[in-house]
Amino acid sequence: MTFYHSIYRFIQMLAVVLTMAHVSYAHAAEQEINSPDGRLAVVVSDKGGIPTYTVRLDGITFVEWSPLGIRLDFVDLSEGMTLSGADRRSISEVYTLRTIKCSEVSYEANEGVCHFEKEGKPALDIVFRVSNRDVAYAYRLSPRRQTLSSVVVEEKSGFVLPEGCTTFLCPQSKPMTGFARTAPSYETPYALDDEMGKNGWGEGYTFPCLFRQGDKGWLLISETGTDGSYVGCRLLNVGGSHYQIGFPQQGEMNGVGSVTPLVGLPCQTPWRTITLGRTLANVVETTVATDLVSPKYEASKDYTYGKGSWSWIIGMDPSCNFDEQKRYIDFSAAMGYRSVLIDAFWDQQIGYERMAELARYGKERGVGIFLWYNSNGTWNDAPQTPKGKMDRSGVRRREMRWMQQQGILGIKVDFFGSDKQQMMQLYEDILTDANDFGLQVIFHGCTLPRGWERMYPNYVASEAVLASENLHFGQGACDAEARNAATHPFIRNTVGSMDFGGSALNKRYSADNQHGTVRKTSDVFALATAVLFQSSVQHFALAPNNLSDAPAWAVDFMKQVPTTWDETRFIDGYPGRYVILARRHGDTWYVAGINAGEKPLKTTLSLPMMVRKSVVTLFSDDAALNGNAKEMKLSGRQQVTVSIPTNGGIVLVGARAPERF
């Protein structure tokens, strides 16, 4: 009996092994989705019952096998899954959008909807879009039996990067820290050329997140399509080279509200995006944030865009008085600007009646007004007023109706400090209500925009960066201005409009231009950042005294520089060291560059986008950062050799060549 029993046990074990082999084989199903040009490939698998994917560009692996899947409160859709097939289609769309880096976008991609089953029944669809430079994926969730509502407990969405990648990341703040406990507000400094395996300040990283795989290329991870139906996410390191989508922190909003999104079924989650390139060109030029979304409502009017002035960056809170704002309205009129931004405490230091008077005065001078508001209800300690006006619908709409009656152009809303779902809903509610009253919206102390230029027609820009006020607050920010400015075009500003509020021509950040922090960058540098930093409405850090104490060529340039662009092209650069970009407005190209390196940057620029042998205007600095403007003739080879000193800049302005480059 023992012998036969042993044979029986052996047969049982063999059956188990064969069954496991069969299961393993069955779970080895794969689907491949390629870019239209065939260079970019995504392979999706169900190895071991876990949805996974890998990304290759030109045969080089940029994302190693990484987990996918999602856990709901009633079912785990991240394991025990079988890939049953995929539906495919080609996407071809042309759309126009005046408020991003490229006014007319031709979007081409291949889509694969990968169907996953659990226990033999349809369970989850994962939608992949693959263009020639971007990979994006989102989850489509369906009702299960009678369940029409669900909490998303966790996303397993992962990004396992090849060993040896370096990181260019912005750490997420701990909740309820910073000024008046208003963090997180996406206003922390980047760590550049860092190693993987860290987790920022312990709370992960804010999007977008840039990685370099040595000489093989670059990869940018972000998200888009987030609205009030989900949470804003961050990127967590879960060990070594493995990063994963993370939900907000429980402490945000003083602990009120859930960190997990409540969704109605069926639904589709926001997109996780990966932009890849052998150089930084794809990263700088990507439009993935708006490619994947659609408008949520129609514009209530034909919104216009342009330049403006802003007293607060130079004069701080005391400048928010009637006489000074009237002086800034006159200054904007002299510059040919569209608006002034009137900042905090205007309701106390000017008042509603006199603000209406300022609005009438501005209208006579051809200058509109943007008004600052505190977003706050009760979730942080920011005391600035007007407060308690934007967090409740009834009060908010009455306030917006008053603004509409006064001809106010728009609002700047500050101090949000959370990515929880109810805060994302507040962003959406403010935008939706503002559109009803013809108001444009800028956000500060806020989260990253996620495709909002296209989703919300009256959305203008968000801060979500260590912005210009820090140049006033501390000399350290002035000392690091060039490094930071040479970072933003490669990371923060690649995925959304950035309201920075810079381009100062004062030598010092004070109303008399004699006190305060000292600007270390040149005047040409200031002109260059007006081109490098993209936002369709720009309130520059210029002051009325600049009409007499700044170089005439610099003031004239700031009068003419556009804020909307038809094309953007990467020329050269490295995050935190230097950047040279070309932007086109109509038939005019602006080529702008700055240098944060320790030595002068000498380079020869090839400019095939400009008319051969045409006259161009060159703004440049000498070794002592003394700027000048001169006209020069472009060579027949359409090349210009330039030298950019440390903390200096260049700008070339020339006519568009008839052929595209």
Side-chain angles (χ1 to χ4, degrees):
M1 293 294 294
T2 304
F3 173 77
Y4 288 106
H5 180 72
S6 298
I7 293 295
Y8 177 74
R9 288 299 303 262
F10 173 77
I11 293 172
Q12 278 188 319
M13 291 176 64
L14 182 61
V16 170
V17 170
L18 290 174
T19 300
M20 291 180 64
H22 173 72
V23 170
S24 179
Y25 177 79
H27 283 180
E30 292 186 352
Q31 294 288 337
E32 183 168 328
I33 307 106
N34 296 297
S35 60
D37 65 5
R39 295 179 57 196
L40 187 53
V42 176
V43 181
V44 184
S45 178
D46 59 2
K47 295 179 180 180
I50 297 174
T52 56
Y53 76 108
T54 184
V55 180
R56 297 190 298 267
L57 173 64
D58 293 334
I60 301 170
T61 299
F62 275 74
V63 179
E64 297 184 347
W65 286 107
S66 302
L68 297 164
I70 194 164
R71 287 200 304 121
L72 306 181
D73 56 342
F74 64 93
V75 64
D76 187 344
L77 300 178
S78 66
E79 58 183 31
M81 306 287 282
T82 302
L83 178 57
S84 61
D87 296 329
R88 301 170 186 274
R89 65 172 178 144
S90 296
I91 308 292
S92 181
E93 181 185 11
V94 175
Y95 64 91
T96 58
L97 196 57
R98 296 169 57 199
T99 55
I100 62 172
K101 67 184 78 169
C102 180
S103 64
E104 183 172 305
V105 179
S106 179
Y107 176 56
E108 305 285 339
N110 290 326
E111 180 181 274
V113 182
C114 297
H115 306 298
F116 283 87
E117 296 181 350
K118 189 178 180 75
E119 299 173 350
K121 297 179 181 179
L124 176 66
D125 289 342
I126 306 179
V127 186
F128 277 87
R129 290 272 190 94
V130 185
S131 72
N132 289 341
R133 61 189 174 200
D134 306 294
V135 171
Y137 64 87
Y139 302 108
R140 285 183 184 166
L141 306 173
S142 300
R144 193 177 178 92
R145 299 184 181 91
Q146 302 302 313
T147 304
L148 301 179
S149 173
S150 178
V151 173
V152 180
V153 177
E154 181 186 21
E155 280 195 36
K156 293 292 187 178
S157 310
F159 311 87
V160 179
L161 305 179
E163 290 295 331
C165 285
T166 52
T167 69
F168 300 74
L169 303 176
C170 181
Q172 179 88 329
S173 298
K174 292 185 181 297
M176 304 301 291
T177 59
F179 171 76
R181 300 196 297 167
T182 58
S185 54
Y186 289 56
E187 297 180 46
T188 54
Y190 285 88
L192 305 180
D193 279 308
D194 207 352
E195 60 185 10
M196 294 188 295
K198 300 179 180 180
N199 216 9
W201 297 343
E203 308 298 340
Y205 301 97
T206 63
F207 287 124
C209 299
L210 181 66
F211 299 84
R212 183 189 181 206
Q213 191 179 346
D215 295 333
K216 295 177 181 178
W218 299 81
L219 178 147
L220 185 80
I221 299 173
S222 193
E223 65 177 359
T224 192
T226 308
D227 59 16
S229 64
Y230 213 74
V231 296
C233 295
R234 54 194 164 125
L235 193 66
L236 301 176
N237 183 276
V238 293
S241 62
H242 185 183
Y243 294 82
Q244 182 178 317
I245 290 292
F247 288 161
Q249 305 165 76
Q250 182 57 53
E252 295 174 16
M253 295 185 70
N254 220 353
V256 174
S258 174
V259 301
T260 53
L262 175 66
V263 298
L265 303 177
C267 74
Q268 178 170 304
T269 65
W271 295 91
R272 284 63 187 89
T273 66
I274 308 168
T275 301
L276 307 99
R278 302 299 298 276
T279 72
L280 282 161
N282 282 356
V283 170
V284 171
E285 298 171 17
T286 184
T287 53
V288 67
T290 50
D291 292 341
L292 298 163
V293 300
S294 301
K296 296 177 72 69
Y297 50 74
E298 293 185 0
S300 63
K301 69 178 188 181
D302 184 15
Y303 291 107
T304 59
Y305 311 95
K307 301 179 287 292
S309 63
W310 177 39
S311 70
W312 186 87
I313 182 61
I314 299 297
M316 297 278 109
D317 292 340
S319 71
C320 192
N321 62 73
F322 183 89
D323 291 338
E324 186 70 350
Q325 295 310 310
K326 188 174 181 181
R327 189 166 78 102
Y328 265 80
I329 289 174
D330 290 339
F331 174 52
S332 279
M335 295 292 290
Y337 284 2
R338 170 179 176 256
S339 63
V340 295
L341 168 62
I342 303 180
D343 220 281
F345 296 119
W346 63 264
D347 58 326
Q348 298 182 33
Q349 296 172 190
I350 297 175
Y352 281 80
E353 288 188 8
R354 299 217 76 188
M355 183 58 70
E357 184 180 343
L358 276 177
R360 291 192 295 272
Y361 180 77
K363 185 176 181 180
E364 294 171 358
R365 304 283 282 144
V367 176
I369 291 174
F370 276 73
L371 289 178
W372 186 96
Y373 280 85
N374 192 333
S375 74
N376 207 357
T378 54
W379 47 82
N380 60 49
D381 302 325
Q384 286 84 351
T385 61
K387 182 176 179 178
K389 302 287 189 180
M390 289 291 131
D391 59 310
R392 293 170 293 164
S393 178
V395 177
R396 179 171 61 238
R397 291 182 67 85
R398 286 195 297 273
E399 192 81 0
M400 289 178 173
R401 184 176 300 280
W402 173 81
M403 284 186 272
Q404 183 185 48
Q405 293 169 347
Q406 311 312 316
I408 302 300
L409 292 179
I411 54 177
K412 171 182 171 180
V413 189
D414 208 339
F415 298 134
F416 289 86
S418 177
D419 283 333
K420 291 181 178 178
Q421 187 170 10
Q422 63 194 83
M423 190 64 83
M424 305 309 289
Q425 185 64 62
L426 178 61
Y427 285 112
E428 185 168 9
D429 290 346
I430 290 172
L431 285 160
T432 304
D433 284 349
N435 183 64
D436 287 347
F437 296 98
L439 299 170
Q440 294 177 304
V441 180
I442 300 168
F443 292 124
H444 262 234
C446 60
T447 193
L448 181 78
R450 294 160 166 90
W452 293 355
E453 292 93 338
R454 194 175 184 196
M455 293 165 66
Y456 306 105
N458 57 321
Y459 168 79
V460 173
S462 296
E463 183 185 29
V465 72
L466 200 62
S468 62
E469 62 262 30
N470 296 282
L471 300 170
H472 189 123
F473 294 153
Q475 188 59 44
C478 290
D479 297 342
E481 181 183 8
R483 174 189 182 273
N484 292 333
T487 299
H488 303 322
F490 298 111
I491 310 178
R492 164 62 182 90
N493 214 183
T494 62
V495 297
S497 299
M498 182 179 75
D499 191 62
F500 189 86
S503 296
L505 290 177
N506 266 23
K507 298 300 182 184
R508 305 187 73 151
Y509 282 89
S510 62
D512 63 4
N513 206 6
Q514 300 295 318
H515 302 86
T517 55
V518 179
R519 181 165 60 94
K520 292 298 187 68
T521 55
S522 72
D523 290 338
V524 179
F525 181 102
L527 309 192
T529 57
V531 176
L532 294 172
F533 296 168
Q534 184 270 316
S535 175
S536 59
V537 174
Q538 293 253 32
H539 289 108
F540 294 121
L542 304 179
N545 52 276
N546 296 149
L547 291 173
S548 58
D549 63 13
W553 50 264
V555 174
D556 289 344
F557 178 90
M558 294 302 295
K559 288 180 178 180
Q560 301 298 324
V561 64
T563 62
T564 57
W565 305 104
D566 297 305
E567 288 185 75
T568 296
R569 293 289 181 266
F570 170 72
I571 295 179
D572 198 6
Y574 192 94
R577 299 180 188 175
Y578 70 102
V579 58
I580 304 174
L581 302 184
R583 298 195 194 270
R584 179 177 65 82
H585 177 83
D587 289 328
T588 304
W589 278 100
Y590 292 76
V591 178
I594 56 174
N595 179 23
E598 296 179 356
K599 298 179 180 180
L601 173 66
K602 296 181 179 180
T603 185
T604 298
L605 304 178
S606 294
L607 305 174
M609 76 287 285
M610 292 185 179
V611 175
R612 191 185 309 271
K613 296 183 179 181
S614 63
V615 175
V616 300
T617 303
L618 172 65
F619 301 84
S620 61
D621 290 310
D622 63 18
L625 297 184
N626 297 308
N628 67 82
K630 66 179 181 181
E631 290 187 345
M632 60 179 295
K633 191 172 184 180
L634 193 63
S635 71
R637 298 177 62 186
Q638 295 159 291
Q639 292 183 336
V640 175
T641 299
V642 297
S643 178
I644 312 176
T646 301
N647 289 328
I650 60 157
V651 179
L652 288 102
V653 183
R656 177 192 188 188
E659 69 276 7
R660 295 174 63 89
F661 77 103

